[in-house]
Amino acid sequence: RLCEYAREKINAISGFRCMGREILDEENSDKISKNSVCAIDTTRLVISAKDLGITGFELDEILFTQYQVNMELSDFENVVAVVTYANTVMDMDRLVEACRKISQNRCDVNKTASSNSINKRLPGIPVQKLTPRQAYFTKAEEIDWKDSVGKISAEMIAPYPPGIPIIYPGEVISQEIWDYLEAFR
């Protein structure tokens, strides 16, 4: 009941989405298909503000530092709140109000200036100069992160979550990759 209450209110906020039963493939609920979702845990609120240009990681930080709302986890596009028997309508209202204020603040910023957030998409596939094996056996030097653009990586870099490598040994660190990784750092 509390989750449905919060889900409905969050979905009414500009730029926010809260996943619900709309993702279910109810026509095929009796069949298992790799392309269908037949059940969801309704005690989880999966919230996205990607339409506002805010990653899940950024939303998690904003909710915690500015509104004292703690999420269970975050990823590139979403945050997840776990609602239990100990939560109240007041807790849901606090989350909803925080989302409303974030939306309003982002819309106000976008009216007066372009968003200064980085490109939220994964960077393009980097140029490979060496195979990972060649890079492993090549003498490498340690440099400052700020000086790494245009250099060949000697290590794999995989921000977590989601734990997906953005660059492998032997690939060139482009400005786009640097910007993406810097946002995680």
Side-chain angles (χ1 to χ4, degrees), residues 11-174:
N11 279 328
I13 299 170
S14 178
F16 274 82
R17 292 185 192 164
C18 188
M19 182 173 52
R21 302 190 66 78
E22 74 281 353
I23 68 162
L24 295 178
D25 185 358
E26 294 184 8
E27 291 178 18
N28 295 310
S29 63
D30 59 335
K31 302 173 194 161
I32 296 178
S33 167
K34 68 178 183 175
N35 296 324
S36 66
V37 177
C38 56
I40 64 168
D41 182 347
T42 57
T43 65
R44 304 302 192 250
L45 294 173
V46 180
I47 304 166
S48 174
K50 71 179 183 177
D51 291 345
L52 294 173
I54 302 172
T55 69
F57 303 117
E58 292 168 327
L59 182 58
D60 188 19
E61 184 176 341
I62 293 167
L63 285 167
F64 184 73
T65 60
Q66 295 179 27
Y67 300 98
Q68 294 72 51
V69 175
N70 194 17
M71 296 288 105
E72 179 71 15
L73 59 92
S74 60
D75 67 16
F76 190 67
E77 292 187 352
N78 308 290
V79 294
V80 177
V82 178
V83 181
T84 72
Y85 65 88
N87 290 110
T88 65
V89 171
M90 191 182 325
D91 296 329
M92 299 303 103
D93 286 340
R94 199 163 114 228
L95 171 61
V96 168
E97 187 57 26
C99 293
R100 187 174 289 113
K101 286 178 181 176
I102 292 167
S103 174
Q104 182 61 49
N105 290 342
R106 183 54 62 114
C107 290
D108 288 347
V109 166
N110 288 341
K111 283 179 192 170
T112 58
S114 63
S115 175
N116 63 359
S117 62
I118 65 163
N119 180 358
K120 302 304 179 202
R121 300 193 185 282
L122 288 171
I125 297 187
V127 173
Q128 183 181 14
K129 290 289 190 176
L130 303 170
T131 67
R133 181 180 180 85
Q134 289 169 325
Y136 179 80
F137 288 110
T138 298
K139 184 176 179 177
E141 67 178 275
E142 190 173 311
I143 61 171
D144 282 338
W145 171 241
K146 65 181 174 48
D147 299 325
S148 65
V149 173
K151 305 290 189 202
I152 298 171
S153 180
E155 298 180 11
M156 179 184 353
I157 304 175
Y160 185 84
I164 298 169
I166 298 303
I167 196 151
Y168 280 94
E171 294 177 335
V172 177
I173 300 171
S174 67

Side-chain angles (χ1 to χ4, degrees), residues 168-180:
Y168 280 94
E171 294 177 335
V172 177
I173 300 171
S174 67
Q175 185 67 54
E176 178 186 29
I177 288 170
W178 191 92
D179 290 341
Y180 179 83

